[in-house]
C-alpha cells in the first residue's frame, strides 16, 4: 500500500471512529485532527468561511506587504508553469495575496483559497497555513493529511515570517497538486520567509532610525534641494518632497526602487555612492521626457570602512546652470542699460523691445562693438524666459572641429580626449532659456544644416550618441556681415537665414549717431569711475571735440575702452585732448588746433562745455517724452533721482 493510500485509510479511520492505528501519521497532524473534531468542524464541508474585507487587511498589514511583495513577485516568476501557487497571509491566516498559474489559481478558488479568506485551523481544519500559525515553524501538509476532504488534492508547504522582535507577522505558503509533494518545496518556503524577514529587518531599522530622530523629516523638508538616501545595495529608502516634485511623482514611486534603474548615467555605478556635481537623467513616465539633474553623493560608512549606503542631493540641471550664470555673468543687461537718443538707434531699441515679448527668432545686425550682446541680454531679460538660462556662444571663436561638440554636446568616448561622462552642449545648457549665437556668419555649412534641424525639431543628439534630447530654446543670432550676400555666394544656407531673421534688428554704428556720444561719455565715465573707485572726471571742450570728431571704428566698445584707459592714466580732475589716445589726437587736428592747453581762460570755458551739452540732452529728452520724468530718465540712461538732481543743478523747470 502506498504512503498516500495508507494516510487516506488512517484519515477515514479517524473520521469514522475517532482513532488512528497507523504510525505513519505525525503526532502534530493527529493532534490537529483532534482539535478540529473538538471544534465540531465538518470534514466534508464545501462552504468555507468568507473571511474579511481585503482592503482592511491590506491597511493593517502594510509593512508586511511592502517587504514581502517583491519576494512574492520573484517567486511567481520562478514557479511559472509548475502548477503551484504562492500564498501570502497575515499572522492569523487571512490571505493577502495569491499568485501563480491562472488555471491553478482558479482551482484554488473552488476551495475558497482567495484573498481575504480565513485559512486558520479553526476555520478550515488541518492545513499548512493554519498549522504554521499554530506551531510557529515551517510545516508541510500533503493530500489526506488535510482535515477537509476537499483539500486532499493539494499539498501545501508553509513557513512563518517573523519580525526582528520575534513576533509572528505572516505566513508564506506554496500549494500545488498532492502528487507533486516534495520536501524541497518546504525548504523553498522557509528560504522565502527568511528573505522577507531580511527586508522587514531593514525596514524596521530604517523606521527605528526615523523614530529616534524626531527632527529628521523636518530637516529633510526644510532643504530646498531634493534629498534621497539609499541602502548599500542602491535601493532608495527615503526621499523628501522636493525630490518627488522634481521627478513629477509621489515619494512612494521612488522608495524601494534601485537608484541605478531610475537615474541613468554614463558613469560607473559608484557615481551614486560618491559623486560631485555629476549629471544624470530620469525618464518621466507621465510626460515621456527625460529630466536632467545634477547630483552630489556622500557615502554612509561604518567605522569608515564598510559601505552602508549614500545620501544624495539632487537639483535640476537648468537650476544649477542658471545659478552658475547668475554668479559668473549670464544675462545682466536690460533695456535700461541701452543708452541713446538717436532716432535710428531708438527705432532699433523699439523693434527689439517689441520682439522680446514674443518667442520668435531674432537676428541682430551691427558692426563690431555696437552692443549686439547687450541687446540680446536685454531681449532675454524682457522676455517670458528671463528666469531661465542665457547662454552666449561666439561661433567665430570656436575651432571648426569643435563647433558641433560645443553646440550639441558629446557622449563619453565620442572622440579622443573627450571628458569622462560626456558633456552637455550649449543647446542643453540653454534649455528653457535663450541661446545667443554671435558671429553666426562664420559657422561651417555642415553645422548650419544640423543647427537648422535642431531649431525645426526641438531635439538634439549628442556627438557619439543616438538618443534624442528634447530642448526648448529661443535662438538670438548676431552678425556683422551681410548674410544675404553670403547666401547669394553659397556661403550661408538660405533656409537657415530665413529661419533666423524672423525679426531683424539693425543697430547703427556710433559714427552715425554723434548725438549719443556725449550721453555715452557721461554714462560710461560715471560707471567706470565708480568701478575704479575714482572721482568722475570732467572733459574739456578740446577733449569733447576730439571725441565727437573721431570715427569710432570699434563703436561703443572702443569708446568704453578709451574712457577707461583715460580715467586710469589721468592724474588730474579734467581730461583734455592730450589725455586721449594717440589715434584720436592724430585724426582730429581740428580739435587740437582749437585747444590751447596753456590757456587757463580757455580751459575754464571748456570745462562747462560738457555740462551745457548734458543740459541740452536733458531738455531734449523731456521734450521728447512730453515731460514724463520716468521715460526721460530711461531715455538718458540715468535714474529718476539723478535726473531730479540734475534738473535742480541746471535750474531746469519743465511741465508737459
Amino acid at each position: 500500500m502506498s504512503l498516500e493510500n495508507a494516510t487516506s485509510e488512517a484519515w477515514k479511520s479517524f473520521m469514522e471512529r475517532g482513532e488512528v492505528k497507523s504510525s505513519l501519521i505525525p503526532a502534530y497532524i493527529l493532534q490537529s485532527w483532534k482539535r478540529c473534531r473538538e471544534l465540531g468542524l465538518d470534514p466534508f464541508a464545501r462552504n468555507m468561511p468568507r473571511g474579511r474585507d481585503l482592503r482592511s487587511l491590506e491597511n493593517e498589514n502594510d509593512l508586511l506587504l511592502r517587504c514581502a511583495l517583491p519576494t512574492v513577485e520573484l517567486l511567481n516568476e520562478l514557479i511559472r508553469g509548475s502548477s503551484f501557487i504562492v500564498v501570502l497571509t497575515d499572522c492569523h491566516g487571512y490571505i493577502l495575496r495569491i499568485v501563480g498559474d491562472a488555471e491553478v489559481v482558479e482551482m484554488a478558488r473552488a476551495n475558497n483559497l482567495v484573498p481575504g479568506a480565513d485559512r486558520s485551523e479553526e476555520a478550515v481544519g488541518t492545513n499548512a497555513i493554519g498549522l504554521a500559525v499554530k506551531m510557529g515553524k515551517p510545516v508541510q501538509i500533503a493530500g489526506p493529511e488535510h482535515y477537509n476532504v476537499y483539500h486532499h488534492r493539494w499539498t501545501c508547504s508553509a513557513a512563518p515570517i517573523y519580525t526582528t522582535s520575534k513576533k509572528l507577522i505572516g505566513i508564506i505558503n506554496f500549494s500545488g497538486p498532492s502528487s507533486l509533494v516534495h520536501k524541497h518545496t518546504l525548504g523553498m518556503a522557509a528560504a522565502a520567509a527568511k528573505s522577507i524577514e531580511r527586508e522587514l529587518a531593514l525596514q524596521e531599522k530604517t523606521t527605528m532610525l526615523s523614530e529616534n530622530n524626531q527632527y529628521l523629516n523636518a530637516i529633510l523638508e526644510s532643504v530646498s534641494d531634493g534629498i534621497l538616501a539609499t541602502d548599500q545595495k542602491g535601493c532608495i529608502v527615503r526621499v523628501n518632497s522636493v525630490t518627488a516634485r522634481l521627478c513629477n511623482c509621489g515619494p512612494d514611486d521612488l522608495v524601494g526602487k534601485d537608484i541605478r534603474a531610475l537615474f541613468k548615467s554614463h558613469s560607473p555605478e559608484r557615481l551614486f555612492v560618491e559623486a560631485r556635481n555629476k549629471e544624470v537623467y530620469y525618464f518621466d513616465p507621465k510626460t515621456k521626457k527625460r529630466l536632467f539633474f545634477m547630483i552630489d553623493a556622500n557615502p554612509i560608512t561604518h567605522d569608515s570602512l564598510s559601505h552602508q549606503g549614500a545620501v544624495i542631493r539632487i537639483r535640476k540641471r537648468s537650476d544649477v546652470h542658471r545659478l552658475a550664470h547668475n554668479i559668473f555673468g549670464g544675462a545682466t543687461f536690460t533695456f535700461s542699460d541701452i543708452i541713446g537718443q538717436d532716432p535710428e538707434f531708438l527705432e532699433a531699441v523699439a523693434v527689439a523691445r517689441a520682439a522680446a515679448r514674443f518667442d520668435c527668432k531674432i537676428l541682430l545686425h551691427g558692426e563690431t562693438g555696437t552692443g549686439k550682446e547687450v541687446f540680446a541680454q536685454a531681449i532675454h531679460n524682457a522676455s517670458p524666459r528671463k528666469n531661465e538660462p542665457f547662454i552666449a556662444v561666439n561661433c567665430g571663436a570656436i575651432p571648426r572641429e569643435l563647433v558641433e561638440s560645443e553646440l550639441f554636446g558629446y557622449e563619453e568616448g565620442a572622440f579622443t580626449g573627450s571628458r569622462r561622462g560626456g558633456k552637455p552642449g550649449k543647446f542643453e545648457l540653454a534649455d528653457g532659456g535663450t541661446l545667443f549665437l554671435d558671429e553666426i556668419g562664420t559657422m561651417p555649412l555642415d553645422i548650419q544644416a544640423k543647427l537648422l534641424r535642431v531649431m525645426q525639431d526641438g531635439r538634439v543628439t549628442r556627438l557619439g550618441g543616438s538618443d534624442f534630447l528634447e530642448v526648448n530654446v529661443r535662438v538670438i543670432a548676431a552678425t556683422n556681415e551681410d548674410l544675404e550676400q553670403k547666401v547669394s555666394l553659397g556661403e550661408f544656407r538660405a533656409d537657415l537665414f530665413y529661419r533666423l531673421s524672423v525679426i531683424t534688428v539693425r543697430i547703427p554704428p556710433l559714427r552715425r549717431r554723434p548725438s549719443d556720444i556725449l550721453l555715452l561719455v557721461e554714462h560710461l565715465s560715471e560707471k567706470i569711475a565708480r568701478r575704479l573707485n575714482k572721482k568722475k572726471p570732467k572733459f574739456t571742450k578740446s577733449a569733447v571735440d576730439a571725441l565727437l570728431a573721431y570715427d569710432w571704428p570699434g563703436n561703443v566698445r572702443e569708446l568704453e575702452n578709451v574712457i577707461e584707459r583715460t580715467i586710469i592714466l589721468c592724474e588730474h580732475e579734467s581730461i583734455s585732448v592730450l589725455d586721449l589716445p594717440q589715434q584720436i589726437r592724430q585724426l582730429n587736428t581740428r580739435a587740437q588746433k582749437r585747444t590751447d592747453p596753456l590757456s587757463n581762460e580757455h580751459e575754464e570755458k571748456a570745462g562747462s562745455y560738457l555740462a551745457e551739452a548734458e543740459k541740452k540732452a536733458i531738455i531734449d529728452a523731456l521734450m521728447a517724452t512730453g515731460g514724463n520724468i520716468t521715460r526721460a530718465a530711461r531715455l538718458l540712461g540715468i535714474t529718476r533721482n539723478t535726473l531730479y538732481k540734475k534738473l535742480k543743478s541746471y535750474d531746469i523747470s519743465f511741465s508737459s
Side-chain angles (χ1 to χ4, degrees):
M1 181 182 294
S2 67
L3 177 60
E4 183 175 2
N5 289 337
T7 304
S8 180
E9 289 299 320
W11 179 86
K12 291 177 183 179
S13 174
F14 180 83
M15 297 307 161
E16 292 173 359
R17 296 182 295 276
E19 59 181 28
V20 175
K21 295 181 180 180
S22 174
S23 60
L24 296 176
I25 305 301
Y28 63 88
I29 293 179
L30 183 57
Q31 292 169 3
S32 175
W33 286 355
K34 290 179 179 180
R35 289 193 297 269
C36 294
R37 189 181 186 90
E38 291 172 359
L39 289 171
L41 295 181
D42 183 0
F44 301 98
R46 280 183 175 274
N47 297 324
M48 299 295 176
R50 290 190 175 184
R52 289 184 53 194
D53 176 66
L54 181 60
R55 186 179 297 274
S56 299
L57 286 169
E58 289 178 336
N59 291 336
E60 294 172 10
N61 294 275
D62 177 67
L63 175 62
L64 173 62
L65 286 169
R66 280 190 286 118
C67 295
L69 287 183
T71 299
V72 171
E73 292 301 325
L74 176 61
L75 293 173
N76 187 29
E77 293 296 322
L78 293 175
I79 66 170
R80 191 181 301 278
S82 68
S83 298
F84 270 82
I85 57 174
V86 179
V87 182
L88 176 70
T89 80
D90 70 358
C91 61
H92 303 293
Y94 287 101
I95 297 176
L96 298 171
R97 287 289 189 277
I98 298 179
V99 299
D101 294 337
E103 62 274 14
V104 186
V105 172
E106 191 60 33
M107 288 172 55
R109 185 181 297 275
N111 285 120
N112 199 40
L113 204 65
V114 295
D118 184 358
R119 302 303 293 181
S120 66
E121 183 184 83
E122 293 79 5
V124 297
T126 306
N127 70 96
I129 294 173
L131 270 182
V133 171
K134 184 77 69 176
M135 299 167 60
K137 61 182 182 181
V139 62
Q140 187 175 69
I141 302 295
E145 291 178 342
H146 289 89
Y147 186 77
N148 190 287
V149 69
Y150 294 105
H151 296 164
H152 288 190
R153 71 181 70 178
W154 296 93
T155 179
C156 304
S157 303
I161 304 167
Y162 289 99
T163 65
T164 54
S165 59
K166 304 304 179 183
K167 178 183 177 181
L168 181 67
I169 192 173
I171 303 292
I172 189 77
N173 173 78
F174 289 83
S175 293
S178 59
S179 59
L180 298 180
V181 60
H182 199 289
K183 62 180 181 180
H184 289 169
T185 312
L186 183 60
M188 192 173 182
K194 291 298 181 184
S195 175
I196 296 171
E197 287 174 353
R198 283 193 293 271
E199 293 299 322
L200 279 168
L202 177 62
Q203 185 65 37
E204 289 175 6
K205 182 178 180 181
T206 304
T207 302
M208 185 183 303
L209 290 173
S210 176
E211 291 174 350
N212 289 342
N213 187 354
Q214 58 181 323
Y215 299 109
L216 179 58
N217 285 333
I219 293 172
L220 289 177
E221 293 304 322
S222 69
V223 179
S224 59
D225 295 329
I227 299 292
L228 56 83
T230 70
D231 64 12
Q232 60 185 352
K233 297 179 182 178
C235 179
I236 299 173
V237 296
R238 182 178 291 275
V239 301
N240 66 354
S241 59
V242 177
T243 301
R245 187 171 68 252
L246 290 174
C247 295
N248 194 28
C249 65
D252 291 343
D253 296 321
L254 300 175
V255 173
K257 303 294 174 54
D258 188 327
I259 190 170
R260 290 156 296 194
L262 286 178
F263 297 95
K264 304 290 186 180
S265 171
H266 297 286
S267 299
E269 292 183 352
R270 189 166 175 78
L271 171 70
F272 297 104
V273 177
E274 192 168 3
R276 293 291 180 273
N277 204 33
K278 296 298 184 181
E279 179 184 303
V280 298
Y281 68 85
Y282 167 80
F283 182 77
D284 185 351
K286 295 180 181 178
T287 63
K288 307 300 183 185
K289 294 182 178 179
R290 289 184 178 187
L291 304 177
F292 286 88
F293 302 109
M294 306 300 289
I295 67 167
D296 293 293
N298 293 286
I300 302 172
T301 58
H302 179 65
D303 296 332
S304 302
L305 295 174
S306 60
H307 163 61
Q308 299 296 317
V311 175
I312 298 173
R313 180 174 67 156
I314 177 171
R315 294 169 291 171
K316 288 176 64 176
R317 187 182 66 183
S318 58
D319 288 344
V320 176
H321 294 155
R322 186 183 304 114
L323 177 61
H325 284 285
N326 287 340
I327 295 174
F328 300 109
T332 58
F333 292 106
T334 65
F335 280 109
S336 63
D337 297 307
I338 298 178
I339 309 301
Q341 61 180 16
D342 176 79
E344 184 181 359
F345 183 75
L346 289 178
E347 181 182 353
V349 174
V351 172
R353 192 190 295 272
R357 295 181 291 116
F358 302 95
D359 209 20
C360 58
K361 308 294 187 297
I362 298 176
L363 178 64
L364 303 174
H365 188 279
E367 294 180 4
T368 298
T370 51
K372 295 187 290 295
E373 183 166 352
V374 174
F375 267 76
Q377 291 189 22
I379 291 169
H380 172 80
N381 283 326
S383 75
R385 298 174 181 260
K386 62 183 179 182
N387 295 321
E388 300 298 330
F390 176 87
I391 305 295
V393 181
N394 187 332
C395 301
I398 305 174
R400 187 187 188 285
E401 60 273 12
L402 297 181
V403 174
E404 182 176 3
S405 63
E406 280 295 313
L407 288 178
F408 311 125
Y410 60 81
E411 299 287 11
E412 181 176 342
F415 51 85
T416 302
S418 60
R419 193 171 68 180
R420 185 176 182 180
K423 181 183 177 183
K426 295 300 189 289
F427 268 95
E428 289 182 62
L429 296 178
D431 188 25
T434 302
L435 179 63
F436 174 54
L437 299 176
D438 198 7
E439 296 189 34
I440 189 69
T442 64
M443 182 175 288
L445 283 170
D446 57 330
I447 306 300
Q448 291 180 30
K450 295 183 178 181
L451 172 62
L452 180 64
R453 175 61 61 188
V454 172
M455 291 171 61
Q456 288 174 337
D457 298 344
R459 299 191 303 177
V460 64
T461 303
R462 288 185 179 184
L463 186 65
S466 58
D467 294 336
F468 286 110
L469 307 176
E470 293 192 10
V471 291
N472 177 16
V473 175
R474 179 187 196 170
V475 174
I476 299 177
T479 184
N480 59 4
E481 302 179 89
D482 187 344
L483 289 187
E484 292 184 81
Q485 183 180 13
K486 290 178 74 74
V487 168
S488 64
L489 295 174
E491 298 174 357
F492 199 87
R493 292 180 64 100
D495 46 6
L496 178 59
F497 170 72
Y498 293 117
R499 172 73 65 169
L500 291 170
S501 58
V502 175
I503 298 291
T504 299
V505 178
R506 300 188 182 277
I507 307 172
L510 192 56
R511 64 179 174 274
R512 291 219 308 261
R513 38 188 287 230
S515 61
D516 289 343
I517 292 178
L518 294 180
L519 284 176
L520 288 167
V521 169
E522 175 72 12
H523 172 75
L524 293 173
S525 59
E526 183 175 347
K527 183 182 75 170
I528 293 171
R530 188 186 311 114
R531 174 164 54 82
L532 297 176
N533 198 26
K534 296 190 68 173
K535 186 177 180 180
K536 177 187 172 184
K538 295 181 180 179
F539 286 77
T540 66
K541 183 178 184 302
S542 61
V544 170
D545 284 342
L547 295 173
L548 290 172
Y550 186 59
D551 202 34
W552 298 109
N555 292 290
V556 179
R557 184 183 296 121
E558 184 182 9
L559 175 61
E560 184 171 7
N561 292 341
V562 166
I563 293 174
E564 182 170 2
R565 171 192 180 278
T566 304
I567 292 176
I568 290 173
L569 298 180
C570 184
E571 297 296 334
H572 37 270
E573 294 185 2
S574 295
I575 294 176
S576 70
V577 69
L578 295 179
D579 296 312
L580 298 177
Q582 184 177 6
Q583 71 270 22
I584 297 180
R585 298 200 306 268
Q586 289 178 342
L587 294 176
N588 188 36
T589 55
R590 276 193 309 139
Q592 289 179 2
K593 289 178 180 179
R594 288 201 304 268
T595 302
D596 181 5
L598 301 178
S599 171
N600 293 331
E601 180 182 357
H602 184 75
E603 285 295 331
E604 290 174 0
K605 293 180 180 179
S608 64
Y609 183 85
L610 188 58
E612 288 296 326
E614 184 179 57
K615 180 177 180 180
K616 182 179 182 303
I618 291 173
I619 294 173
D620 290 344
L622 288 168
M623 293 180 65
T625 60
N628 187 302
I629 295 295
T630 301
R631 292 173 56 198
R634 187 182 300 120
L635 188 64
L636 292 166
I638 59 179
T639 65
R640 282 167 50 93
N641 289 338
T642 301
L643 180 54
Y644 277 123
K645 291 179 182 178
K646 291 184 181 294
L647 290 174
K648 184 177 180 180
S649 173
Y650 293 129
D651 194 22
I652 299 174
S653 59
F654 193 93
S655 60
S656 58

